[in-house]
Amino acid sequence: MGIYLASCLLMLKLAVALGSIANVSNEACIDGVDGPLRVNAYQDSCPDVEPIIFSWVQKAVSQDSRMAASLLRLHFHDCFVNGCDASVLLDDTADFIGEKTAAPNLNSLRGFDVIDAIKSDLESFCPETISCADILAVAARDSVILSGGPSWEVQTGRRDSLSASKGAANNNIPGPNSNVATLLASFQNVGLSLQDMVALSGAHTMGKARCSTFMSRLQSSSSSNSNDVEMDERFLSSLQQLCSQADANQTLARLDLVTPSTFDNQYFVNLISKEGLLASDQALVDDDGTRQIVESYVEDPFTFFEDFRRSMLRMGSIQVLTGKDGEIRRNCRSVN
């Protein structure tokens, strides 16, 4: 086990080094905004935390490549609802309603079992030390690395919430049919910028979506005499065929048909080609401001990687609980 963890640590260090990531100071400073998170917060209390998390994510992704997108999405859905506090992981109880049954999450979010396995392992090594919120942040980074994307040093020190909000989950997480104005309002509501919005949308270079999340686009095109001006004709036809089955609401379509399991800039290439799966994706080329950013990512994937890395750090710092706020859960599904 020790040799395996050492190899995982080596892989992480190489990923960061090869990514040419600038060193981050011990006190977090993201785009000039000081914060309470820091790199290597567990260096003394649990030095093997990152290789342990990496080993579990590596195992999960090797068994199911889609899990990389799922773990990345868990972190996103957590941070957009009252901050990055692992509230998304809390199960419903007799007197408590969590966020898992909110419309954007129900029958959609996955990867909870992977987080459970990571937490259980960490509790055996470092009891009541590593927060579930930090596990989500590190697992998201590792999912990107293992899919060929950029690396960054995750800033840690988050604590876990004592509550959750189904209402906030329903209201704060952008929907698949959102236009640019709605998307931007959701991102600005949590302190993120237009640039962050486009960069983080690039996470849709991996993963899948149910036909139900984009069916309205297909039905609109089918009921008219002309093709959907926002969708390539052959792409539209292939989706209509895929989603015409009896169980269409359960049928999954790849967000990126070309490199579905690789973290790259193909998502933005697809948008220019009118092959964005979700309306909220394709909308990014209909607005002049967002289209310019999309085109820059098509031309230079390294610019996308750098912006995505920076935006992940910014997102990961949203309304974090630190110090004596919140708690370190022993089980990510319930408060202590």
Side-chain angles (χ1 to χ4, degrees), residues 4-17:
Y4 181 55
L5 289 180
S7 67
C8 289
L9 179 59
L10 178 60
M11 289 179 65
L12 279 171
K13 288 184 176 180
L14 285 173
V16 173

Side-chain angles (χ1 to χ4, degrees), residues 144-286:
V144 173
I145 292 175
L146 290 165
S147 304
S151 178
W152 60 93
E153 292 184 293
V154 178
Q155 296 159 325
T156 49
R158 301 169 187 81
R159 287 170 64 86
D160 301 321
S161 70
L162 302 174
S163 63
S165 175
K166 181 178 179 179
N170 281 324
N171 294 328
N172 295 1
I173 298 172
N177 293 312
S178 301
N179 57 28
V180 170
T182 301
L183 289 171
L184 183 58
S186 295
F187 277 75
Q188 289 180 333
N189 185 54
V190 294
L192 298 177
S193 67
L194 181 75
Q195 187 94 37
D196 294 321
M197 181 186 81
V198 180
L200 292 173
S201 294
H204 282 178
T205 190
M206 306 187 297
K208 299 179 180 181
R210 296 179 188 272
C211 286
S212 57
T213 62
F214 57 87
M215 185 65 80
S216 60
R217 300 185 73 201
L218 309 186
Q219 293 172 338
S220 173
S221 299
S222 298
S223 62
S224 63
N225 294 324
S226 60
N227 293 326
D228 185 339
V229 296
E230 294 183 347
M231 191 178 291
D232 174 78
E233 181 179 354
R234 286 179 298 178
F235 184 54
L236 171 62
S237 178
S238 67
L239 291 176
Q240 289 174 331
Q241 182 177 0
L242 175 68
C243 298
S244 64
Q245 305 170 31
D247 59 345
N249 284 340
Q250 301 302 316
T251 301
L252 295 170
R254 293 172 174 174
L255 287 163
D256 174 6
L257 283 174
V258 182
T259 55
S261 300
T262 302
F263 192 98
D264 54 20
N265 70 333
Q266 184 63 44
Y267 163 82
F268 298 105
V269 176
N270 295 342
L271 298 186
I272 297 297
S273 302
K274 298 183 179 180
E275 294 179 333
L277 184 64
L278 305 179
S280 56
D281 291 329
Q282 195 59 51
L284 296 181
V285 297
D286 292 336

